[in-house]
PDB file of all heavy atoms in Angstrom:
ATOM      1  N   TYR X 208      99.377  84.478 116.151  1.00  0.00           N
ATOM      2  CA  TYR X 208      99.351  85.779 115.462  1.00  0.00           C
ATOM      3  C   TYR X 208      99.404  86.915 116.482  1.00  0.00           C
ATOM      4  O   TYR X 208     100.182  87.869 116.333  1.00  0.00           O
ATOM      5  CB  TYR X 208      98.090  85.872 114.599  1.00  0.00           C
ATOM      6  CG  TYR X 208      97.930  87.188 113.896  1.00  0.00           C
ATOM      7  CD1 TYR X 208      98.892  87.636 112.986  1.00  0.00           C
ATOM      8  CD2 TYR X 208      96.826  87.995 114.137  1.00  0.00           C
ATOM      9  CE1 TYR X 208      98.745  88.852 112.341  1.00  0.00           C
ATOM     10  CE2 TYR X 208      96.669  89.206 113.490  1.00  0.00           C
ATOM     11  CZ  TYR X 208      97.634  89.633 112.601  1.00  0.00           C
ATOM     12  OH  TYR X 208      97.483  90.836 111.967  1.00  0.00           O
ATOM     13  N   LYS X 215     106.455  92.118 118.002  1.00  0.00           N
ATOM     14  CA  LYS X 215     106.760  93.266 117.176  1.00  0.00           C
ATOM     15  C   LYS X 215     106.718  94.552 117.996  1.00  0.00           C
ATOM     16  O   LYS X 215     107.624  95.391 117.932  1.00  0.00           O
ATOM     17  CB  LYS X 215     105.733  93.325 116.050  1.00  0.00           C
ATOM     18  CG  LYS X 215     105.908  94.471 115.133  1.00  0.00           C
ATOM     19  CD  LYS X 215     104.948  94.319 113.977  1.00  0.00           C
ATOM     20  CE  LYS X 215     105.351  95.273 112.887  1.00  0.00           C
ATOM     21  NZ  LYS X 215     104.577  95.039 111.683  1.00  0.00           N
ATOM     22  N   ILE X 230     100.337 104.808 119.202  1.00  0.00           N
ATOM     23  CA  ILE X 230      99.700 104.677 117.887  1.00  0.00           C
ATOM     24  C   ILE X 230      99.913 103.269 117.342  1.00  0.00           C
ATOM     25  O   ILE X 230      99.001 102.645 116.801  1.00  0.00           O
ATOM     26  CB  ILE X 230     100.268 105.742 116.918  1.00  0.00           C
ATOM     27  CG1 ILE X 230      99.753 107.118 117.363  1.00  0.00           C
ATOM     28  CG2 ILE X 230      99.865 105.449 115.484  1.00  0.00           C
ATOM     29  CD1 ILE X 230     100.416 108.275 116.665  1.00  0.00           C
ATOM     30  N   LEU X 231     101.138 102.761 117.531  1.00  0.00           N
ATOM     31  CA  LEU X 231     101.436 101.401 117.070  1.00  0.00           C
ATOM     32  C   LEU X 231     100.547 100.385 117.789  1.00  0.00           C
ATOM     33  O   LEU X 231     100.002  99.465 117.174  1.00  0.00           O
ATOM     34  CB  LEU X 231     102.913 101.076 117.314  1.00  0.00           C
ATOM     35  CG  LEU X 231     103.314  99.660 116.914  1.00  0.00           C
ATOM     36  CD1 LEU X 231     103.444  99.568 115.396  1.00  0.00           C
ATOM     37  CD2 LEU X 231     104.617  99.236 117.570  1.00  0.00           C
ATOM     38  N   ARG X 233      97.633 100.848 118.994  1.00  0.00           N
ATOM     39  CA  ARG X 233      96.288 100.949 118.416  1.00  0.00           C
ATOM     40  C   ARG X 233      96.204 100.145 117.108  1.00  0.00           C
ATOM     41  O   ARG X 233      95.287  99.355 116.907  1.00  0.00           O
ATOM     42  CB  ARG X 233      95.950 102.413 118.143  1.00  0.00           C
ATOM     43  CG  ARG X 233      94.612 102.597 117.429  1.00  0.00           C
ATOM     44  CD  ARG X 233      94.546 103.919 116.707  1.00  0.00           C
ATOM     45  NE  ARG X 233      95.496 103.957 115.608  1.00  0.00           N
ATOM     46  CZ  ARG X 233      95.828 105.056 114.939  1.00  0.00           C
ATOM     47  NH1 ARG X 233      95.306 106.218 115.269  1.00  0.00           N
ATOM     48  NH2 ARG X 233      96.695 105.010 113.957  1.00  0.00           N
ATOM     49  N   ASP X 234      97.201 100.367 116.243  1.00  0.00           N
ATOM     50  CA  ASP X 234      97.200  99.676 114.945  1.00  0.00           C
ATOM     51  C   ASP X 234      97.260  98.161 115.121  1.00  0.00           C
ATOM     52  O   ASP X 234      96.537  97.413 114.470  1.00  0.00           O
ATOM     53  CB  ASP X 234      98.394 100.118 114.100  1.00  0.00           C
ATOM     54  CG  ASP X 234      98.212 101.529 113.566  1.00  0.00           C
ATOM     55  OD1 ASP X 234      97.094 102.066 113.674  1.00  0.00           O
ATOM     56  OD2 ASP X 234      99.193 102.091 113.042  1.00  0.00           O
ATOM     57  N   LEU X 235      98.163  97.724 116.009  1.00  0.00           N
ATOM     58  CA  LEU X 235      98.343  96.280 116.182  1.00  0.00           C
ATOM     59  C   LEU X 235      97.103  95.669 116.839  1.00  0.00           C
ATOM     60  O   LEU X 235      96.705  94.558 116.502  1.00  0.00           O
ATOM     61  CB  LEU X 235      99.599  95.992 117.011  1.00  0.00           C
ATOM     62  CG  LEU X 235     100.926  96.441 116.377  1.00  0.00           C
ATOM     63  CD1 LEU X 235     102.101  96.029 117.247  1.00  0.00           C
ATOM     64  CD2 LEU X 235     101.099  95.882 114.973  1.00  0.00           C
ATOM     65  N   GLN X 236      96.503  96.420 117.793  1.00  0.00           N
ATOM     66  CA  GLN X 236      95.302  95.894 118.439  1.00  0.00           C
ATOM     67  C   GLN X 236      94.174  95.746 117.423  1.00  0.00           C
ATOM     68  O   GLN X 236      93.392  94.812 117.476  1.00  0.00           O
ATOM     69  CB  GLN X 236      94.881  96.839 119.573  1.00  0.00           C
ATOM     70  CG  GLN X 236      93.986  96.198 120.590  1.00  0.00           C
ATOM     71  CD  GLN X 236      94.752  95.201 121.431  1.00  0.00           C
ATOM     72  OE1 GLN X 236      95.260  94.204 120.911  1.00  0.00           O
ATOM     73  NE2 GLN X 236      94.859  95.453 122.716  1.00  0.00           N
ATOM     74  N   ARG X 237      94.142  96.685 116.480  1.00  0.00           N
ATOM     75  CA  ARG X 237      93.118  96.619 115.433  1.00  0.00           C
ATOM     76  C   ARG X 237      93.315  95.345 114.610  1.00  0.00           C
ATOM     77  O   ARG X 237      92.363  94.644 114.290  1.00  0.00           O
ATOM     78  CB  ARG X 237      93.245  97.854 114.551  1.00  0.00           C
ATOM     79  CG  ARG X 237      92.043  98.129 113.717  1.00  0.00           C
ATOM     80  CD  ARG X 237      92.036  99.563 113.225  1.00  0.00           C
ATOM     81  NE  ARG X 237      91.276 100.433 114.092  1.00  0.00           N
ATOM     82  CZ  ARG X 237      91.405 101.773 114.098  1.00  0.00           C
ATOM     83  NH1 ARG X 237      92.289 102.358 113.326  1.00  0.00           N
ATOM     84  NH2 ARG X 237      90.661 102.494 114.899  1.00  0.00           N
ATOM     85  N   LEU X 238      94.574  95.055 114.299  1.00  0.00           N
ATOM     86  CA  LEU X 238      94.859  93.817 113.555  1.00  0.00           C
ATOM     87  C   LEU X 238      94.497  92.599 114.401  1.00  0.00           C
ATOM     88  O   LEU X 238      93.863  91.649 113.931  1.00  0.00           O
ATOM     89  CB  LEU X 238      96.336  93.751 113.179  1.00  0.00           C
ATOM     90  CG  LEU X 238      96.838  94.749 112.133  1.00  0.00           C
ATOM     91  CD1 LEU X 238      98.349  94.618 111.976  1.00  0.00           C
ATOM     92  CD2 LEU X 238      96.149  94.508 110.792  1.00  0.00           C
ATOM     93  N   ARG X 241      90.932  91.581 114.630  1.00  0.00           N
ATOM     94  CA  ARG X 241      90.322  90.957 113.458  1.00  0.00           C
ATOM     95  C   ARG X 241      90.701  89.487 113.320  1.00  0.00           C
ATOM     96  O   ARG X 241      90.331  88.835 112.360  1.00  0.00           O
ATOM     97  CB  ARG X 241      90.746  91.714 112.179  1.00  0.00           C
ATOM     98  CG  ARG X 241      90.493  93.210 112.307  1.00  0.00           C
ATOM     99  CD  ARG X 241      90.627  93.968 111.010  1.00  0.00           C
ATOM    100  NE  ARG X 241      91.710  93.541 110.141  1.00  0.00           N
ATOM    101  CZ  ARG X 241      91.854  93.986 108.905  1.00  0.00           C
ATOM    102  NH1 ARG X 241      91.004  94.839 108.414  1.00  0.00           N
ATOM    103  NH2 ARG X 241      92.853  93.583 108.168  1.00  0.00           N
TER     104      ARG X 241
ATOM    105  N   GLU Z 122     103.754  98.945 105.665  1.00  0.00           N
ATOM    106  CA  GLU Z 122     105.148  98.770 106.083  1.00  0.00           C
ATOM    107  C   GLU Z 122     105.969  98.060 105.017  1.00  0.00           C
ATOM    108  O   GLU Z 122     107.184  98.200 104.960  1.00  0.00           O
ATOM    109  CB  GLU Z 122     105.203  97.902 107.351  1.00  0.00           C
ATOM    110  CG  GLU Z 122     104.559  98.518 108.537  1.00  0.00           C
ATOM    111  CD  GLU Z 122     104.233  97.468 109.598  1.00  0.00           C
ATOM    112  OE1 GLU Z 122     103.730  96.374 109.256  1.00  0.00           O
ATOM    113  OE2 GLU Z 122     104.498  97.762 110.759  1.00  0.00           O
ATOM    114  N   GLN Z 177     102.247 108.660 105.562  1.00  0.00           N
ATOM    115  CA  GLN Z 177     101.965 107.782 106.693  1.00  0.00           C
ATOM    116  C   GLN Z 177     102.319 106.349 106.346  1.00  0.00           C
ATOM    117  O   GLN Z 177     102.144 105.918 105.201  1.00  0.00           O
ATOM    118  CB  GLN Z 177     100.463 107.875 107.029  1.00  0.00           C
ATOM    119  CG  GLN Z 177     100.040 107.148 108.274  1.00  0.00           C
ATOM    120  CD  GLN Z 177      98.521 107.109 108.429  1.00  0.00           C
ATOM    121  OE1 GLN Z 177      97.791 107.767 107.697  1.00  0.00           O
ATOM    122  NE2 GLN Z 177      98.048 106.325 109.365  1.00  0.00           N
ATOM    123  N   ILE Z 178     102.815 105.612 107.348  1.00  0.00           N
ATOM    124  CA  ILE Z 178     103.054 104.174 107.181  1.00  0.00           C
ATOM    125  C   ILE Z 178     102.083 103.442 108.102  1.00  0.00           C
ATOM    126  O   ILE Z 178     101.974 103.791 109.276  1.00  0.00           O
ATOM    127  CB  ILE Z 178     104.489 103.793 107.575  1.00  0.00           C
ATOM    128  CG1 ILE Z 178     105.498 104.621 106.782  1.00  0.00           C
ATOM    129  CG2 ILE Z 178     104.737 102.305 107.368  1.00  0.00           C
ATOM    130  CD1 ILE Z 178     106.933 104.411 107.241  1.00  0.00           C
ATOM    131  N   CYS Z 179     101.372 102.448 107.573  1.00  0.00           N
ATOM    132  CA  CYS Z 179     100.438 101.688 108.407  1.00  0.00           C
ATOM    133  C   CYS Z 179     100.813 100.208 108.354  1.00  0.00           C
ATOM    134  O   CYS Z 179     101.516  99.781 107.455  1.00  0.00           O
ATOM    135  CB  CYS Z 179      99.004 101.762 107.898  1.00  0.00           C
ATOM    136  SG  CYS Z 179      98.597 103.162 106.923  1.00  0.00           S
ATOM    137  N   PRO Z 180     100.271  99.421 109.289  1.00  0.00           N
ATOM    138  CA  PRO Z 180     100.387  97.972 109.122  1.00  0.00           C
ATOM    139  C   PRO Z 180      99.770  97.616 107.762  1.00  0.00           C
ATOM    140  O   PRO Z 180      98.714  98.148 107.414  1.00  0.00           O
ATOM    141  CB  PRO Z 180      99.545  97.408 110.271  1.00  0.00           C
ATOM    142  CG  PRO Z 180      99.488  98.506 111.272  1.00  0.00           C
ATOM    143  CD  PRO Z 180      99.525  99.790 110.493  1.00  0.00           C
ATOM    144  N   THR Z 181     100.433  96.737 107.036  1.00  0.00           N
ATOM    145  CA  THR Z 181     100.047  96.472 105.656  1.00  0.00           C
ATOM    146  C   THR Z 181      98.558  96.130 105.504  1.00  0.00           C
ATOM    147  O   THR Z 181      97.908  96.591 104.574  1.00  0.00           O
ATOM    148  CB  THR Z 181     100.932  95.335 105.107  1.00  0.00           C
ATOM    149  OG1 THR Z 181     102.291  95.770 105.213  1.00  0.00           O
ATOM    150  CG2 THR Z 181     100.604  95.023 103.672  1.00  0.00           C
ATOM    151  N   ASP Z 182      98.031  95.339 106.441  1.00  0.00           N
ATOM    152  CA  ASP Z 182      96.626  94.942 106.332  1.00  0.00           C
ATOM    153  C   ASP Z 182      95.668  96.113 106.521  1.00  0.00           C
ATOM    154  O   ASP Z 182      94.474  95.977 106.266  1.00  0.00           O
ATOM    155  CB  ASP Z 182      96.294  93.884 107.395  1.00  0.00           C
ATOM    156  CG  ASP Z 182      96.915  92.545 107.051  1.00  0.00           C
ATOM    157  OD1 ASP Z 182      97.433  92.418 105.938  1.00  0.00           O
ATOM    158  OD2 ASP Z 182      96.883  91.634 107.902  1.00  0.00           O
ATOM    159  N   LEU Z 183      96.164  97.225 107.036  1.00  0.00           N
ATOM    160  CA  LEU Z 183      95.273  98.353 107.324  1.00  0.00           C
ATOM    161  C   LEU Z 183      95.466  99.519 106.353  1.00  0.00           C
ATOM    162  O   LEU Z 183      94.782 100.530 106.462  1.00  0.00           O
ATOM    163  CB  LEU Z 183      95.500  98.848 108.761  1.00  0.00           C
ATOM    164  CG  LEU Z 183      95.173  97.848 109.878  1.00  0.00           C
ATOM    165  CD1 LEU Z 183      95.573  98.408 111.235  1.00  0.00           C
ATOM    166  CD2 LEU Z 183      93.692  97.506 109.891  1.00  0.00           C
ATOM    167  N   ARG Z 186      92.326 100.528 104.394  1.00  0.00           N
ATOM    168  CA  ARG Z 186      91.310 100.999 105.332  1.00  0.00           C
ATOM    169  C   ARG Z 186      91.636 102.409 105.836  1.00  0.00           C
ATOM    170  O   ARG Z 186      90.782 103.292 105.881  1.00  0.00           O
ATOM    171  CB  ARG Z 186      91.249 100.022 106.500  1.00  0.00           C
ATOM    172  CG  ARG Z 186      90.309 100.485 107.570  1.00  0.00           C
ATOM    173  CD  ARG Z 186      90.267  99.468 108.685  1.00  0.00           C
ATOM    174  NE  ARG Z 186      89.619 100.082 109.829  1.00  0.00           N
ATOM    175  CZ  ARG Z 186      88.996  99.395 110.770  1.00  0.00           C
ATOM    176  NH1 ARG Z 186      88.934  98.098 110.694  1.00  0.00           N
ATOM    177  NH2 ARG Z 186      88.439 100.010 111.776  1.00  0.00           N
ATOM    178  N   TYR Z 187      92.897 102.633 106.203  1.00  0.00           N
ATOM    179  CA  TYR Z 187      93.285 103.945 106.720  1.00  0.00           C
ATOM    180  C   TYR Z 187      93.213 105.012 105.617  1.00  0.00           C
ATOM    181  O   TYR Z 187      92.872 106.151 105.874  1.00  0.00           O
ATOM    182  CB  TYR Z 187      94.696 103.897 107.328  1.00  0.00           C
ATOM    183  CG  TYR Z 187      94.748 103.347 108.732  1.00  0.00           C
ATOM    184  CD1 TYR Z 187      93.609 102.821 109.337  1.00  0.00           C
ATOM    185  CD2 TYR Z 187      95.919 103.360 109.473  1.00  0.00           C
ATOM    186  CE1 TYR Z 187      93.649 102.315 110.623  1.00  0.00           C
ATOM    187  CE2 TYR Z 187      95.967 102.859 110.772  1.00  0.00           C
ATOM    188  CZ  TYR Z 187      94.830 102.330 111.339  1.00  0.00           C
ATOM    189  OH  TYR Z 187      94.869 101.837 112.622  1.00  0.00           O
ATOM    190  N   ASP Z 190      89.633 105.876 105.192  1.00  0.00           N
ATOM    191  CA  ASP Z 190      89.206 106.742 106.304  1.00  0.00           C
ATOM    192  C   ASP Z 190      89.622 108.187 106.043  1.00  0.00           C
ATOM    193  O   ASP Z 190      88.868 109.126 106.278  1.00  0.00           O
ATOM    194  CB  ASP Z 190      89.834 106.280 107.630  1.00  0.00           C
ATOM    195  CG  ASP Z 190      89.185 105.008 108.166  1.00  0.00           C
ATOM    196  OD1 ASP Z 190      88.125 104.611 107.628  1.00  0.00           O
ATOM    197  OD2 ASP Z 190      89.732 104.408 109.113  1.00  0.00           O
TER     198      ASP Z 190
END
Side-chain angles (χ1 to χ4, degrees):
Chain X
Y208 177 60
K215 179 173 194 172
I230 290 170
L231 178 76
R233 175 202 66 192
D234 287 349
L235 297 183
Q236 200 71 297
R237 197 161 266 161
L238 291 175
R241 308 191 321 171
Chain Z
E122 296 161 317
Q177 187 189 351
I178 304 173
C179 335
T181 301
D182 287 351
L183 297 174
R186 175 179 166 155
Y187 279 6
D190 286 349

